[in-house]
Amino acid sequence: ACHITTMIDITDRKKAEIIFRDIIDKNPIAIQVVDREGYTLKVNAAHTQLFGSVPPSNYSIFNSDQKRSQDATELLELVKNGEIVHFPDIQTNPHSVVSEVPDVPVWIRTTGFSLGNEKEKPEQIVFMYQNITERKQAEQDLANSHEQLRQINVRLVEVEGAERKALSKELHDRVGQSLTALNINLGLIRGQLEKETPQKLTARFETASELVTEITDHIRDVMAELHPPVLDDYGLAASLRWYAERLKQQTGLDVEVNGNVSEPRLPISISITLFRIAQEALTNIIKHANASLAIINVEIQPSMIEMTIIDNGIGFDLMRSTMKGEVHWGLLTMRERAEALNGKLEIESVPGEGTKLLFSIPR
């Protein structure tokens, strides 16, 4: 009889297993190792600390009787097929984990991957669990802070609009009327002057009357800048058309406004913000674009207001400008105004082909 004994040196494998066990045992992340059927082979101390106990030996995490969403089932299949899978964060029952704050749900982030040489049938599968409750709470606090800041910005816009409107009314009721009365009195005095009155004195009265008229016009311009007179009564599109006419008379820039005059009435904070943005954009076009035409399109949707401003000017290289660290204060101001109402600004510009600004603000 002949006996053949085969001996295989598995020293390296054993060393690898020891290193792997050390990595699991000393890892601060909760780790659970299961076999290809889903039954627990090993958990580390962090796992026990997080969940409070070791899963029972007769429980498989792949148990078909366990209710899961279709997405979770598909993700588990990917893990079993050798993929590294990051599962969606879940909020657990506070009694299923060891929580420092009793009765407060805990957020768990799970990652799964398989071990072994056979991709289709992995020898072992590893799940790592992280308690990300503090991170989620920080994200929620940040979101709450952002919402509070947004509400403060909205309120500031409303307060600023109310103050501008009040100041405009004050200028109209006091300064404007006083100037009108002064001009009437000057006219009456001039009419009462005798024919023999020196020409020099008559010219002084005429000059004074012209000066009062000029001051009155300036006051009206200031009033219009403070608060557009048609914004409250006729809405955003109408006020933009009114401003476009004034701007064409003053600068020669042709401004076309497309929008529904009988638009649904917007909150005053949104109307004022979009009007101020359009003002800033047109000012930039006049200063820098060397354009002859600007087009403003206002589209009011059930959940979103979009305003597009296009010019036929010289444009600019946005990428190059950004890389050079150039600061465009006008664009920055418009972006901040939009973001204050939870909106955004998109810029498209090509040298020689003009610039397009798209503002989107939730209703």
Side-chain angles (χ1 to χ4, degrees):
C2 179
H3 298 278
I4 299 176
T5 302
T6 302
M7 301 182 68
I8 301 175
D9 186 354
I10 60 171
T11 305
D12 291 341
R13 182 189 299 178
K14 287 295 184 181
K15 288 181 178 179
E17 290 176 356
I18 293 172
I19 293 173
F20 179 63
R21 284 199 301 269
D22 287 342
I23 292 175
I24 291 177
D25 291 338
K26 297 176 182 178
N27 204 303
I29 297 175
I31 296 177
Q32 177 186 13
V33 183
V34 303
D35 61 18
R36 54 180 75 171
E37 301 299 326
Y39 293 100
T40 300
L41 298 176
K42 180 178 180 58
V43 296
N44 65 355
H47 183 281
T48 305
Q49 182 179 2
L50 177 61
F51 293 100
S53 62
V54 178
S57 59
N58 62 347
Y59 172 78
S60 169
I61 63 173
F62 300 149
N63 185 354
S64 59
D65 294 335
Q66 184 179 1
K67 292 182 180 179
R68 294 193 191 91
S69 67
Q70 182 65 27
D71 291 341
T73 301
E74 292 175 358
L75 290 173
L76 283 173
E77 289 301 318
L78 290 175
V79 173
K80 289 190 281 187
N81 289 333
E83 301 288 339
I84 298 177
V85 175
H86 301 283
F87 291 82
D89 300 335
I90 60 171
Q91 196 174 26
T92 68
N93 185 322
H95 301 294
S96 65
V97 296
V98 178
S99 174
E100 295 180 358
V101 183
D103 300 326
V104 175
V106 175
W107 282 93
I108 299 294
R109 176 166 294 173
T110 305
T111 303
F113 59 92
S114 56
L115 300 173
N117 298 323
E118 298 179 68
K119 184 176 180 180
E120 296 300 326
K121 293 184 178 181
E123 295 178 1
Q124 296 177 348
I125 297 175
V126 178
F127 289 96
M128 299 189 299
Y129 308 95
Q130 288 179 278
N131 184 343
I132 58 168
T133 306
E134 290 185 2
R135 185 184 307 176
K136 284 288 185 179
Q137 186 60 52
E139 291 174 358
Q140 185 61 47
D141 291 343
L142 182 61
N144 292 339
S145 298
H146 179 75
E147 177 60 21
Q148 291 173 0
L149 181 60
R150 190 190 71 80
Q151 292 179 1
I152 291 172
N153 284 330
V154 171
R155 182 59 185 153
L156 286 175
V157 170
E158 293 174 346
V159 170
E160 179 190 9
E163 290 179 345
R164 283 171 172 264
K165 185 177 180 180
L167 182 56
S168 176
K169 187 175 184 300
E170 191 76 7
L171 287 173
H172 175 272
D173 292 347
R174 293 195 179 187
V175 180
Q177 292 181 5
S178 297
L179 288 172
T180 301
L182 175 60
N183 205 15
I184 292 173
N185 286 329
L186 287 174
L188 291 173
I189 294 173
R190 184 179 181 281
Q192 294 173 356
L193 293 176
E194 298 178 358
K195 294 181 180 180
E196 294 78 14
T197 302
Q199 184 66 30
K200 183 182 293 187
L201 183 58
T202 303
R204 287 286 179 89
F205 270 100
E206 291 178 351
T207 301
S209 180
E210 291 173 358
L211 182 59
V212 170
T213 301
E214 183 180 343
I215 294 174
T216 302
D217 291 339
H218 286 323
I219 292 294
R220 286 173 180 164
D221 288 341
V222 172
M223 289 164 52
E225 289 294 328
L226 284 172
H227 190 81
V230 297
L231 186 60
D232 293 331
D233 297 328
Y234 301 103
L236 178 63
S239 61
L240 288 175
R241 288 191 177 92
W242 165 83
Y243 185 72
E245 286 297 324
R246 289 184 68 247
L247 204 62
K248 184 176 182 179
Q249 294 173 5
Q250 295 171 354
T251 67
L253 176 66
D254 192 9
V255 182
E256 177 184 322
V257 180
N258 301 313
N260 188 2
V261 176
S262 59
E263 66 204 18
R265 188 51 52 91
L266 299 174
I268 190 64
S269 59
I270 293 179
S271 297
I272 291 177
T273 295
L274 288 173
F275 185 84
R276 297 301 175 200
I277 287 174
Q279 276 186 311
E280 185 68 39
L282 293 173
T283 300
N284 276 4
I285 291 171
I286 293 169
K287 286 183 178 179
H288 308 295
N290 193 25
S292 60
L293 174 65
I295 301 174
I296 303 177
N297 296 315
V298 179
E299 184 176 353
I300 300 178
Q301 302 171 355
S303 61
M304 186 71 66
I305 303 103
E306 292 187 348
M307 182 172 70
T308 306
I309 303 174
I310 306 170
D311 68 69
N312 65 348
I314 58 177
F316 65 99
D317 190 332
L318 182 61
M319 181 71 70
R320 184 176 180 181
S321 177
T322 303
M323 293 177 63
K324 290 172 64 177
E326 297 177 355
V327 179
H328 299 273
W329 293 108
L331 293 176
L332 181 62
T333 299
M334 288 184 281
R335 189 187 301 277
E336 288 179 347
R337 285 186 181 273
E339 290 177 351
L341 294 182
N342 209 24
K344 63 180 180 178
L345 162 64
E346 298 178 18
I347 306 171
E348 297 177 11
S349 187
V350 177
E353 298 184 16
T355 301
K356 176 180 178 181
L357 306 177
L358 173 60
F359 300 90
S360 303
I361 294 179
R363 290 196 64 172

